[in-house]
Amino acid sequence: MGPNRTLLATAILSSTVLLSACGGDSDGSKAASATTENDSTKPSTVITSANGSIEVLSNRKDLISGGNALVRITTAEGLPGRIRINGEITQSIPFSTSLTEWNGIIDGLKVGENKVEVVFADQSVLDTTITNHPLGGPIFSGPQVSPWSCNNPNAVDSQCNQAPTYSFKYVPKSELTKWSEGFDPENPGLPSTYLAYDPENPPAPDKIATTTTETGEVVPFIVRVEQGVINRDRYQVMSLFQPEMEWNALEPQPQWNGKLLIHHGGNVGVSYSMGNPPNGDIAGTAPEGMELLLGDSITAALARGFVTLSTAQANLGHNANLVTAAESLVMSKEHVIEQYGPLRYTIGTGCSGGAIAQQHVANAYPGIYQGLIVQCSYPDVWTTAVQFADYNLLNEYFGLQMPSEPEGFLEFFEGLLTPNIIALQWPAIYGHLPINPVVSDLAFFPSADPDQESCPGLNDSTPVYHPTERPDGLRCGLIDYMRNQFGERPPEAWSDNEKLLGHGFTGIPLDNVGVQYGLGALQAGTITGDQFLKLNRDIGGFDVDINYQDERTQGDLIAITNAYRTGAINTTEHLNTVPIIDLRGPDPGFAHDAFHSWQVRARLETTHGHARNQAIWYGAFPIAGDTIFTTEALLVMDNWLSQIESDDTSTPLPEKIVVNKPALARDRCLSVSALFSDEGPKIPFTGNIVFPSPILPGLDLSLLNPLPAELGQITDAVTGQVCGLNLGEAGLPSQILDPLAPITDAIREVQATVVQTRFGTPRTVAGDDITTMNNKCNLKPVDPADYPMNPVTGIFNSETFAEKVREVFPEGVCDFSKAPVGSTETISWLQYGDAHQVVTGGEPLPRNDSPVLGWASKSFKPTLSQ
């Protein structure tokens, strides 16, 4: 602490001015207020409102949780006295940042509204109201998932709360030390980047690696790991830490750069008990210990001075509910700000489910992230669910359902020899090779089942739903986990069990009525008319229990509308407020179809007219694109955000993102483009071997001068990878651009499938476009023009064939030229009631126009509001 702060603190702490009355609002000029009842030590007096303001830095003042908040008091009234909360004098004002500004933590907030007052020497008062919520939640998600099991032995209450714990680890100076001391013979594999650090018995300083942070601090590479519980589930915060120094929000340790990286886990699923915060990389998904080969953006972030955060609730494999994921991130970010200090900006990173978590939360709750690094991405859960449901139905129809028991494999392979449609025709109906559909069934579709035999996290005493044995049991599928958002099914749609119970189950947010499976394949002459008719006659759908039925899946209009409204379907209205770097490997990607990156792009272009806030990095490494992508993307995103941060103009944020886009934040098809990094060359497919710290003797990439990033763009063009080349942005005149367009457009079209493996889905084959946001289509009459005459397909008369189609689709077929049924814009920052009463489908939180300046620098305008 500097001498000026010491003197100010002493003066403040010695101040004996007591807060003697309630005052006026905190928004301006002095004015006389009514005489009020004071505390028992002072007589009644007439008080005035002070000039100035009380700003809450750690969150919106109506979303505070845990009983404390970081505030800023700004005034020209002079030295403040004390703070009173709900009429009780609680504490002295904390340290000053200037003669007119004081920052500090206030605590002792009760659950509900709290009157916070600051009194000055002249008896004038600033006041504000802060609404505090339980640390165990909820703050805006409504009634919480029940039942819920606390599996932490140190829990002090039914909301699993416990005091945080701290541990330490370090990066050894010698890689040999890591290999010799970090290798576990009982769990063979690559050792972790870190070794355990005991502050009571630390290793010698010369055994610990050092790192130079972004702020220029040279510090030992020691990391403190904080683990605790917020919103009934675990969180983890990591930071470079000097054990001999204190760290608090007012005086953070000097190595911190004020930035936060949030990393996420993968998969999709639900749970009814606490989970673990994810670790590891490939954007937060690969297992810990694989950093050397697969890259390590988390360690790279720590080395630069970032604080990192992960939460179990923001791990889609543990919690597929975007609202409770967003809620836990809001509460955890507040905690980081109150314990570590105000943030400059936040970057998200994650693969698969970790990409979904970022993209649908960023759209529904803009401001939580300032930048996204998404890998092997999907846009959301519920349009992807349509794709995977179609896969499942087609797999069932073709006999491609993998058996769960060994004795079923013979029957499985026999079924492949006598399918309704021969195997060579399958890709034309699926949109690509069937490997992704089969893997999706194994990996993701089981989570949809409401009566899983092993419902994750439940204790043995909780009865789980069974359609005949326990119709009143807990329904634990993906749909039912979103009950607050989707709402109940209407009485006219009730099944026998719903009628028996007297209430509807959670509404189904998807539908396949009118979908002409294989239409594109028929029109291309790949399948016959008879095959097309049989497929669509027999494909069927799912009932409310996700069981097969002969009829098509009937979605519930309220649930579908709420899926769009709440952001469960990612309409991308608010994704233009974040820069996005999308990292992608080739298809087949074990259910991670490459087209999803361009699916998000198409949605952005449809909604905003462009997608210049998104860059797609495509590489040859399966799923990930390249093992250096996550680390390199962190550096590029950091640069992108720092340039936005420096832009103090009044330009709207979406425009700032485009204007301040660095040269490296561009589309690319070649990993070799990494050689042209602003910070020096990054060697493709090396993982963490030569970055961030070279381990090969004599290899020091910092000795090489970086080449202009534009050379990477030229390299793409020279090698035919024109996806990274934007001739217009290169400044070429139209006289050159126009003649070249037919050539470059044709090359791009070929690249879409040959290089980038942008294949389709069953819905794009059926006529939907690449945005595939049609969870329930509008219908049109069957049109003979859709079934051209072709002797190869057996269609000799289009009208005659159309009559047969009408028999299969008596109500009509999908008209994908029209907006989807129930589609509407996503409304951001919805709340769903309190712990006891649900607001189904959500209602907007009160509008907030003032930036929450602890969440991000002012340039990002983090209002946490619509």
Side-chain angles (χ1 to χ4, degrees), residues 222-243:
I222 301 170
V223 174
R224 186 179 75 169
V225 182
E226 175 191 345
Q227 294 179 315
V229 175
I230 288 176
N231 206 17
R232 305 191 305 171
D233 220 330
R234 295 181 176 92
Y235 72 88
Q236 175 181 280
V237 179
M238 295 192 292
S239 60
L240 278 179
F241 199 84
Q242 300 182 62

PDB file of all heavy atoms in Angstrom, residues 222-243:
ATOM      1  N   ILE A 222       3.787 -20.025 -10.280  1.00  0.00           N
ATOM      2  CA  ILE A 222       3.012 -20.681  -9.227  1.00  0.00           C
ATOM      3  C   ILE A 222       1.554 -20.290  -9.416  1.00  0.00           C
ATOM      4  O   ILE A 222       1.240 -19.116  -9.611  1.00  0.00           O
ATOM      5  CB  ILE A 222       3.499 -20.257  -7.825  1.00  0.00           C
ATOM      6  CG1 ILE A 222       4.980 -20.606  -7.655  1.00  0.00           C
ATOM      7  CG2 ILE A 222       2.658 -20.922  -6.740  1.00  0.00           C
ATOM      8  CD1 ILE A 222       5.599 -20.007  -6.402  1.00  0.00           C
ATOM      9  N   VAL A 223       0.664 -21.253  -9.369  1.00  0.00           N
ATOM     10  CA  VAL A 223      -0.755 -21.021  -9.605  1.00  0.00           C
ATOM     11  C   VAL A 223      -1.539 -21.381  -8.344  1.00  0.00           C
ATOM     12  O   VAL A 223      -1.362 -22.460  -7.776  1.00  0.00           O
ATOM     13  CB  VAL A 223      -1.261 -21.859 -10.793  1.00  0.00           C
ATOM     14  CG1 VAL A 223      -2.765 -21.740 -10.947  1.00  0.00           C
ATOM     15  CG2 VAL A 223      -0.553 -21.429 -12.075  1.00  0.00           C
ATOM     16  N   ARG A 224      -2.384 -20.445  -7.914  1.00  0.00           N
ATOM     17  CA  ARG A 224      -3.309 -20.765  -6.826  1.00  0.00           C
ATOM     18  C   ARG A 224      -4.628 -21.226  -7.431  1.00  0.00           C
ATOM     19  O   ARG A 224      -5.142 -20.613  -8.373  1.00  0.00           O
ATOM     20  CB  ARG A 224      -3.565 -19.550  -5.929  1.00  0.00           C
ATOM     21  CG  ARG A 224      -4.406 -19.919  -4.699  1.00  0.00           C
ATOM     22  CD  ARG A 224      -4.649 -18.741  -3.783  1.00  0.00           C
ATOM     23  NE  ARG A 224      -5.645 -17.816  -4.325  1.00  0.00           N
ATOM     24  CZ  ARG A 224      -6.182 -16.817  -3.623  1.00  0.00           C
ATOM     25  NH1 ARG A 224      -5.800 -16.600  -2.380  1.00  0.00           N
ATOM     26  NH2 ARG A 224      -7.063 -16.011  -4.177  1.00  0.00           N
ATOM     27  N   VAL A 225      -5.156 -22.311  -6.880  1.00  0.00           N
ATOM     28  CA  VAL A 225      -6.421 -22.877  -7.334  1.00  0.00           C
ATOM     29  C   VAL A 225      -7.447 -22.693  -6.223  1.00  0.00           C
ATOM     30  O   VAL A 225      -7.314 -23.271  -5.142  1.00  0.00           O
ATOM     31  CB  VAL A 225      -6.284 -24.373  -7.681  1.00  0.00           C
ATOM     32  CG1 VAL A 225      -7.603 -24.921  -8.197  1.00  0.00           C
ATOM     33  CG2 VAL A 225      -5.169 -24.591  -8.710  1.00  0.00           C
ATOM     34  N   GLU A 226      -8.445 -21.861  -6.479  1.00  0.00           N
ATOM     35  CA  GLU A 226      -9.550 -21.667  -5.532  1.00  0.00           C
ATOM     36  C   GLU A 226     -10.724 -22.511  -5.982  1.00  0.00           C
ATOM     37  O   GLU A 226     -11.130 -22.451  -7.147  1.00  0.00           O
ATOM     38  CB  GLU A 226      -9.973 -20.194  -5.481  1.00  0.00           C
ATOM     39  CG  GLU A 226     -11.195 -19.958  -4.600  1.00  0.00           C
ATOM     40  CD  GLU A 226     -11.792 -18.563  -4.755  1.00  0.00           C
ATOM     41  OE1 GLU A 226     -11.121 -17.674  -5.312  1.00  0.00           O
ATOM     42  OE2 GLU A 226     -12.949 -18.388  -4.316  1.00  0.00           O
ATOM     43  N   GLN A 227     -11.288 -23.285  -5.080  1.00  0.00           N
ATOM     44  CA  GLN A 227     -12.450 -24.101  -5.384  1.00  0.00           C
ATOM     45  C   GLN A 227     -13.516 -23.860  -4.325  1.00  0.00           C
ATOM     46  O   GLN A 227     -13.221 -23.785  -3.129  1.00  0.00           O
ATOM     47  CB  GLN A 227     -12.077 -25.588  -5.438  1.00  0.00           C
ATOM     48  CG  GLN A 227     -11.133 -25.923  -6.595  1.00  0.00           C
ATOM     49  CD  GLN A 227     -10.746 -27.378  -6.635  1.00  0.00           C
ATOM     50  OE1 GLN A 227     -10.418 -27.965  -5.613  1.00  0.00           O
ATOM     51  NE2 GLN A 227     -10.768 -27.977  -7.823  1.00  0.00           N
ATOM     52  N   GLY A 228     -14.725 -23.712  -4.770  1.00  0.00           N
ATOM     53  CA  GLY A 228     -15.821 -23.450  -3.847  1.00  0.00           C
ATOM     54  C   GLY A 228     -17.152 -23.802  -4.470  1.00  0.00           C
ATOM     55  O   GLY A 228     -17.213 -24.510  -5.491  1.00  0.00           O
ATOM     56  N   VAL A 229     -18.223 -23.312  -3.873  1.00  0.00           N
ATOM     57  CA  VAL A 229     -19.582 -23.630  -4.316  1.00  0.00           C
ATOM     58  C   VAL A 229     -20.372 -22.341  -4.479  1.00  0.00           C
ATOM     59  O   VAL A 229     -20.407 -21.509  -3.556  1.00  0.00           O
ATOM     60  CB  VAL A 229     -20.286 -24.571  -3.310  1.00  0.00           C
ATOM     61  CG1 VAL A 229     -21.744 -24.792  -3.713  1.00  0.00           C
ATOM     62  CG2 VAL A 229     -19.548 -25.900  -3.212  1.00  0.00           C
ATOM     63  N   ILE A 230     -20.969 -22.168  -5.629  1.00  0.00           N
ATOM     64  CA  ILE A 230     -21.877 -21.061  -5.926  1.00  0.00           C
ATOM     65  C   ILE A 230     -23.045 -21.634  -6.717  1.00  0.00           C
ATOM     66  O   ILE A 230     -22.856 -22.465  -7.611  1.00  0.00           O
ATOM     67  CB  ILE A 230     -21.167 -19.952  -6.738  1.00  0.00           C
ATOM     68  CG1 ILE A 230     -20.176 -19.189  -5.851  1.00  0.00           C
ATOM     69  CG2 ILE A 230     -22.160 -18.991  -7.363  1.00  0.00           C
ATOM     70  CD1 ILE A 230     -19.359 -18.144  -6.596  1.00  0.00           C
ATOM     71  N   ASN A 231     -24.243 -21.214  -6.380  1.00  0.00           N
ATOM     72  CA  ASN A 231     -25.451 -21.687  -7.072  1.00  0.00           C
ATOM     73  C   ASN A 231     -25.570 -23.206  -6.998  1.00  0.00           C
ATOM     74  O   ASN A 231     -25.920 -23.865  -7.971  1.00  0.00           O
ATOM     75  CB  ASN A 231     -25.458 -21.216  -8.528  1.00  0.00           C
ATOM     76  CG  ASN A 231     -26.864 -21.098  -9.101  1.00  0.00           C
ATOM     77  OD1 ASN A 231     -27.843 -21.069  -8.367  1.00  0.00           O
ATOM     78  ND2 ASN A 231     -26.974 -21.031 -10.420  1.00  0.00           N
ATOM     79  N   ARG A 232     -25.241 -23.759  -5.831  1.00  0.00           N
ATOM     80  CA  ARG A 232     -25.373 -25.183  -5.498  1.00  0.00           C
ATOM     81  C   ARG A 232     -24.398 -26.072  -6.261  1.00  0.00           C
ATOM     82  O   ARG A 232     -24.581 -27.295  -6.280  1.00  0.00           O
ATOM     83  CB  ARG A 232     -26.808 -25.693  -5.740  1.00  0.00           C
ATOM     84  CG  ARG A 232     -27.910 -24.930  -5.042  1.00  0.00           C
ATOM     85  CD  ARG A 232     -29.230 -25.648  -5.114  1.00  0.00           C
ATOM     86  NE  ARG A 232     -29.603 -25.950  -6.491  1.00  0.00           N
ATOM     87  CZ  ARG A 232     -30.628 -26.719  -6.838  1.00  0.00           C
ATOM     88  NH1 ARG A 232     -31.373 -27.288  -5.892  1.00  0.00           N
ATOM     89  NH2 ARG A 232     -30.915 -26.938  -8.094  1.00  0.00           N
ATOM     90  N   ASP A 233     -23.382 -25.493  -6.900  1.00  0.00           N
ATOM     91  CA  ASP A 233     -22.453 -26.328  -7.644  1.00  0.00           C
ATOM     92  C   ASP A 233     -21.056 -25.725  -7.589  1.00  0.00           C
ATOM     93  O   ASP A 233     -20.869 -24.584  -7.199  1.00  0.00           O
ATOM     94  CB  ASP A 233     -22.911 -26.488  -9.099  1.00  0.00           C
ATOM     95  CG  ASP A 233     -22.702 -27.907  -9.611  1.00  0.00           C
ATOM     96  OD1 ASP A 233     -21.757 -28.575  -9.136  1.00  0.00           O
ATOM     97  OD2 ASP A 233     -23.479 -28.347 -10.492  1.00  0.00           O
ATOM     98  N   ARG A 234     -20.088 -26.520  -8.012  1.00  0.00           N
ATOM     99  CA  ARG A 234     -18.690 -26.146  -7.822  1.00  0.00           C
ATOM    100  C   ARG A 234     -18.203 -25.170  -8.882  1.00  0.00           C
ATOM    101  O   ARG A 234     -18.621 -25.226 -10.034  1.00  0.00           O
ATOM    102  CB  ARG A 234     -17.812 -27.399  -7.831  1.00  0.00           C
ATOM    103  CG  ARG A 234     -18.087 -28.346  -6.669  1.00  0.00           C
ATOM    104  CD  ARG A 234     -17.158 -29.559  -6.725  1.00  0.00           C
ATOM    105  NE  ARG A 234     -17.345 -30.434  -5.566  1.00  0.00           N
ATOM    106  CZ  ARG A 234     -18.184 -31.462  -5.535  1.00  0.00           C
ATOM    107  NH1 ARG A 234     -18.898 -31.740  -6.606  1.00  0.00           N
ATOM    108  NH2 ARG A 234     -18.296 -32.200  -4.450  1.00  0.00           N
ATOM    109  N   TYR A 235     -17.295 -24.314  -8.460  1.00  0.00           N
ATOM    110  CA  TYR A 235     -16.577 -23.437  -9.373  1.00  0.00           C
ATOM    111  C   TYR A 235     -15.090 -23.547  -9.070  1.00  0.00           C
ATOM    112  O   TYR A 235     -14.682 -24.054  -8.013  1.00  0.00           O
ATOM    113  CB  TYR A 235     -17.034 -21.978  -9.222  1.00  0.00           C
ATOM    114  CG  TYR A 235     -16.554 -21.339  -7.932  1.00  0.00           C
ATOM    115  CD1 TYR A 235     -15.315 -20.698  -7.861  1.00  0.00           C
ATOM    116  CD2 TYR A 235     -17.319 -21.400  -6.767  1.00  0.00           C
ATOM    117  CE1 TYR A 235     -14.862 -20.138  -6.671  1.00  0.00           C
ATOM    118  CE2 TYR A 235     -16.876 -20.849  -5.582  1.00  0.00           C
ATOM    119  CZ  TYR A 235     -15.648 -20.216  -5.535  1.00  0.00           C
ATOM    120  OH  TYR A 235     -15.183 -19.672  -4.361  1.00  0.00           O
ATOM    121  N   GLN A 236     -14.271 -23.059  -9.984  1.00  0.00           N
ATOM    122  CA  GLN A 236     -12.819 -23.062  -9.791  1.00  0.00           C
ATOM    123  C   GLN A 236     -12.243 -21.784 -10.399  1.00  0.00           C
ATOM    124  O   GLN A 236     -12.590 -21.408 -11.520  1.00  0.00           O
ATOM    125  CB  GLN A 236     -12.194 -24.278 -10.466  1.00  0.00           C
ATOM    126  CG  GLN A 236     -10.666 -24.309 -10.427  1.00  0.00           C
ATOM    127  CD  GLN A 236     -10.109 -25.521 -11.130  1.00  0.00           C
ATOM    128  OE1 GLN A 236     -10.074 -26.612 -10.583  1.00  0.00           O
ATOM    129  NE2 GLN A 236      -9.671 -25.345 -12.378  1.00  0.00           N
ATOM    130  N   VAL A 237     -11.369 -21.131  -9.640  1.00  0.00           N
ATOM    131  CA  VAL A 237     -10.662 -19.942 -10.121  1.00  0.00           C
ATOM    132  C   VAL A 237      -9.167 -20.220  -9.986  1.00  0.00           C
ATOM    133  O   VAL A 237      -8.700 -20.668  -8.932  1.00  0.00           O
ATOM    134  CB  VAL A 237     -11.031 -18.685  -9.311  1.00  0.00           C
ATOM    135  CG1 VAL A 237     -10.257 -17.467  -9.828  1.00  0.00           C
ATOM    136  CG2 VAL A 237     -12.529 -18.423  -9.368  1.00  0.00           C
ATOM    137  N   MET A 238      -8.417 -19.962 -11.064  1.00  0.00           N
ATOM    138  CA  MET A 238      -6.966 -20.127 -11.023  1.00  0.00           C
ATOM    139  C   MET A 238      -6.301 -18.801 -11.378  1.00  0.00           C
ATOM    140  O   MET A 238      -6.815 -18.030 -12.188  1.00  0.00           O
ATOM    141  CB  MET A 238      -6.509 -21.221 -11.990  1.00  0.00           C
ATOM    142  CG  MET A 238      -7.010 -22.601 -11.635  1.00  0.00           C
ATOM    143  SD  MET A 238      -6.192 -23.942 -12.586  1.00  0.00           S
ATOM    144  CE  MET A 238      -6.811 -23.617 -14.237  1.00  0.00           C
ATOM    145  N   SER A 239      -5.147 -18.573 -10.768  1.00  0.00           N
ATOM    146  CA  SER A 239      -4.411 -17.338 -11.040  1.00  0.00           C
ATOM    147  C   SER A 239      -2.937 -17.545 -10.719  1.00  0.00           C
ATOM    148  O   SER A 239      -2.590 -18.323  -9.825  1.00  0.00           O
ATOM    149  CB  SER A 239      -4.958 -16.187 -10.186  1.00  0.00           C
ATOM    150  OG  SER A 239      -4.829 -16.498  -8.807  1.00  0.00           O
ATOM    151  N   LEU A 240      -2.071 -16.867 -11.473  1.00  0.00           N
ATOM    152  CA  LEU A 240      -0.687 -16.745 -11.027  1.00  0.00           C
ATOM    153  C   LEU A 240      -0.706 -16.127  -9.646  1.00  0.00           C
ATOM    154  O   LEU A 240      -1.441 -15.155  -9.405  1.00  0.00           O
ATOM    155  CB  LEU A 240       0.104 -15.850 -11.975  1.00  0.00           C
ATOM    156  CG  LEU A 240       0.666 -16.443 -13.263  1.00  0.00           C
ATOM    157  CD1 LEU A 240       1.394 -15.364 -14.041  1.00  0.00           C
ATOM    158  CD2 LEU A 240       1.589 -17.616 -12.986  1.00  0.00           C
ATOM    159  N   PHE A 241       0.107 -16.653  -8.727  1.00  0.00           N
ATOM    160  CA  PHE A 241      -0.014 -16.194  -7.340  1.00  0.00           C
ATOM    161  C   PHE A 241       1.354 -16.189  -6.673  1.00  0.00           C
ATOM    162  O   PHE A 241       2.142 -17.136  -6.831  1.00  0.00           O
ATOM    163  CB  PHE A 241      -0.956 -17.113  -6.563  1.00  0.00           C
ATOM    164  CG  PHE A 241      -1.493 -16.513  -5.297  1.00  0.00           C
ATOM    165  CD1 PHE A 241      -2.602 -15.691  -5.334  1.00  0.00           C
ATOM    166  CD2 PHE A 241      -0.889 -16.759  -4.076  1.00  0.00           C
ATOM    167  CE1 PHE A 241      -3.103 -15.129  -4.173  1.00  0.00           C
ATOM    168  CE2 PHE A 241      -1.380 -16.200  -2.916  1.00  0.00           C
ATOM    169  CZ  PHE A 241      -2.498 -15.382  -2.962  1.00  0.00           C
ATOM    170  N   GLN A 242       1.615 -15.106  -5.974  1.00  0.00           N
ATOM    171  CA  GLN A 242       2.826 -15.013  -5.164  1.00  0.00           C
ATOM    172  C   GLN A 242       2.423 -15.263  -3.703  1.00  0.00           C
ATOM    173  O   GLN A 242       1.789 -14.406  -3.077  1.00  0.00           O
ATOM    174  CB  GLN A 242       3.467 -13.634  -5.342  1.00  0.00           C
ATOM    175  CG  GLN A 242       3.849 -13.351  -6.794  1.00  0.00           C
ATOM    176  CD  GLN A 242       4.535 -12.026  -6.980  1.00  0.00           C
ATOM    177  OE1 GLN A 242       5.623 -11.793  -6.427  1.00  0.00           O
ATOM    178  NE2 GLN A 242       3.915 -11.131  -7.756  1.00  0.00           N
ATOM    179  N   PRO A 243       2.738 -16.441  -3.171  1.00  0.00           N
ATOM    180  CA  PRO A 243       2.204 -16.846  -1.865  1.00  0.00           C
ATOM    181  C   PRO A 243       2.536 -15.893  -0.723  1.00  0.00           C
ATOM    182  O   PRO A 243       1.822 -15.857   0.281  1.00  0.00           O
ATOM    183  CB  PRO A 243       2.850 -18.223  -1.633  1.00  0.00           C
ATOM    184  CG  PRO A 243       3.163 -18.726  -3.001  1.00  0.00           C
ATOM    185  CD  PRO A 243       3.528 -17.519  -3.789  1.00  0.00           C
TER     186      PRO A 243
END
